[in-house]
């Protein structure tokens, strides 16, 4: 099996690797063709429509952000680009620009159990360095299409992120749930949120910082 580092090295966006039946590449610009219900894919560029988010501010506050910071982050521009790694079906490299001014971060979501180390000062994982223990599945569900699900155990609690697509493949719905870890180690009250991302049909690929 390829290491995560090897997968990242292999993901240099050459023309041959990036080419897909529903994408055209010219001079660094990617033009997505209209998707259908049979070929809807997470691959491509997505932008969050913060005006449609449900409970996003409360969700961020549950991770320790104060009210003003949570409101700012919930409304900030948030961009993602999904690329297939080619290692196995459902494994993606996700490039994210969360609008923090810190640049683009890249992360491979392997299928199965995996660990993500973080350096601290994380809005979702906590202020101190540590490890998030994660499990990712990818399934084609009848009448629903592709479902990308990641469950995580972090120093702050337990989190589930499920991503699905609209029938035309041009909207990604992100359902999140979080159960905080209380000081005594027990589980607190579960909180959920929903975000909507719209497919960007013409874009320049994101570059990781």
């Amino acid at each position: 099996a390829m290491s995560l580092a090897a997968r990242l090295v292999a993901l240099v966006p050459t023309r041959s690797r990036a080419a897909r039946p529903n994408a055209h590449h010219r001079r660094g610009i990617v033009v997505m063709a209209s998707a259908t219900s049979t070929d809807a894919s997470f691959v491509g560029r997505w932008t969050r429509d913060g005006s449609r988010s449900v409970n996003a501010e409360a969700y961020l506050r549950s991770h320790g952000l104060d009210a003003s910071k949570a409101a700012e982050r919930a409304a900030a521009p948030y961009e993602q680009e999904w690329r297939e790694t080619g290692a196995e079906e459902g494994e993606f490299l996700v490039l994210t620009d969360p609008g923090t001014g810190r640049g683009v971060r890249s992360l491979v979501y392997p299928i199965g159990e995996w660990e993500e180390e973080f350096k601290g000062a994380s809005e979702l994982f906590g202020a101190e360095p540590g490890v998030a223990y994660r499990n990712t599945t990818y399934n084609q569900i009848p009448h629903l299409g592709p479902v990308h699900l990641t469950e995580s155990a972090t120093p702050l609690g337990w989190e589930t992120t499920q991503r699905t697509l609209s029938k035309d493949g041009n909207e990604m719905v992100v359902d999140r749930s979080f159960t905080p870890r209380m000081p005594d180690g027990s589980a607190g009250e579960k909180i959920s949120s929903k975000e909507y991302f719209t497919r960007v049909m013409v874009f320049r690929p994101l570059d990781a910082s």
Side-chain angles (χ1 to χ4, degrees):
M2 295 174 67
S3 69
L4 295 189
R7 289 185 185 122
L8 286 171
V9 170
L11 280 164
V12 176
T14 61
R15 182 182 179 85
S16 61
R17 182 175 294 278
R20 289 179 54 82
N22 62 346
H24 306 281
H25 301 259
R26 288 191 182 132
R27 296 183 181 179
I29 301 292
V30 179
V31 181
M32 301 297 295
S34 296
T36 68
S37 58
T38 57
D39 67 5
S41 170
F42 290 103
V43 170
R45 178 80 170 265
W46 302 90
T47 184
R48 183 176 66 186
D49 182 355
S51 67
R52 299 175 62 197
S53 296
V54 178
N55 218 33
E57 291 184 35
Y59 192 83
L60 289 168
R61 289 201 303 273
S62 72
H63 288 72
L65 276 68
D66 62 36
S68 62
K69 186 66 173 179
E72 175 188 330
R73 296 296 310 119
Y78 195 106
E79 305 279 335
Q80 282 194 332
E81 184 184 341
W82 286 56
R83 302 176 187 171
E84 293 173 323
T85 68
E88 62 180 308
E89 184 182 8
E91 181 179 283
F92 296 95
L93 168 71
V94 180
L95 301 167
T96 302
D97 184 349
T100 60
R102 299 177 185 173
V104 177
R105 66 174 183 256
S106 63
L107 184 65
V108 170
Y109 283 78
I111 299 299
E113 296 183 358
W114 53 290
E115 298 178 7
E116 179 184 355
E117 296 184 4
F118 55 93
K119 298 179 180 179
S122 169
E123 293 175 348
L124 295 183
F125 296 156
E128 300 299 323
V131 177
Y133 298 93
R134 317 189 81 174
N135 184 67
T136 296
T137 59
Y138 176 84
N139 294 290
Q140 291 282 349
I141 307 298
H143 311 299
L144 189 58
V147 177
H148 189 273
L149 177 69
T150 297
E151 300 168 292
S152 306
T154 80
L156 296 183
W158 299 269
E159 197 143 9
T160 299
T161 303
Q162 176 180 280
R163 295 175 171 91
T164 55
L165 297 172
S166 60
K167 287 186 177 181
D168 66 4
N170 292 327
E171 181 177 84
M172 177 169 62
V173 182
V174 182
D175 289 288
R176 303 181 191 272
S177 66
F178 174 66
T179 302
R181 188 189 306 271
M182 306 307 288
D184 64 359
S186 64
E189 185 176 351
K190 181 178 177 180
I191 185 169
S192 300
S193 73
K194 187 185 292 284
E195 296 172 305
Y196 296 87
F197 287 73
T198 301
R199 183 182 296 281
V200 179
M201 301 305 290
V202 181
F203 64 92
R204 290 186 182 277
L206 287 172
D207 292 316
S209 300

